[in-house]
Amino acid sequence: MENTYANQCIACTVTSCKNHHQTRDYCSLDKITVGTHESDPTVVPCTDCQSFMPKQESC
């Protein structure tokens, strides 16, 4: 199912995410969780969108 809701408060360019809007660079969630995979993050690449869900390919 394609997402038609674009939360304009959450810009996103990750088109492989299930929560990405179908045609615009926004997330379709009301809120997201941002976390880290590092014990002491100091730069942007150390952070992750923990609300990411891979898109399921349709059969």
Side-chain angles (χ1 to χ4, degrees):
M1 185 171 123
E2 297 290 334
N3 290 314
T4 57
Y5 171 68
N7 183 340
Q8 295 184 16
C9 293
I10 307 173
C12 179
T13 59
V14 183
T15 58
S16 61
C17 180
K18 177 181 175 181
N19 301 313
H20 189 269
H21 183 271
Q22 62 185 359
T23 59
R24 300 172 69 196
D25 283 341
Y26 293 105
C27 184
S28 64
L29 296 175
D30 291 328
K31 65 178 183 174
I32 63 169
T33 301
V34 176
T36 183
H37 56 271
E38 302 285 336
S39 60
D40 185 25
T42 57
V43 293
V44 174
C46 294
T47 61
D48 306 291
C49 177
Q50 294 181 335
S51 299
F52 172 82
M53 296 181 68
K55 282 186 179 178
Q56 298 289 332
E57 296 295 324
S58 57
C59 297

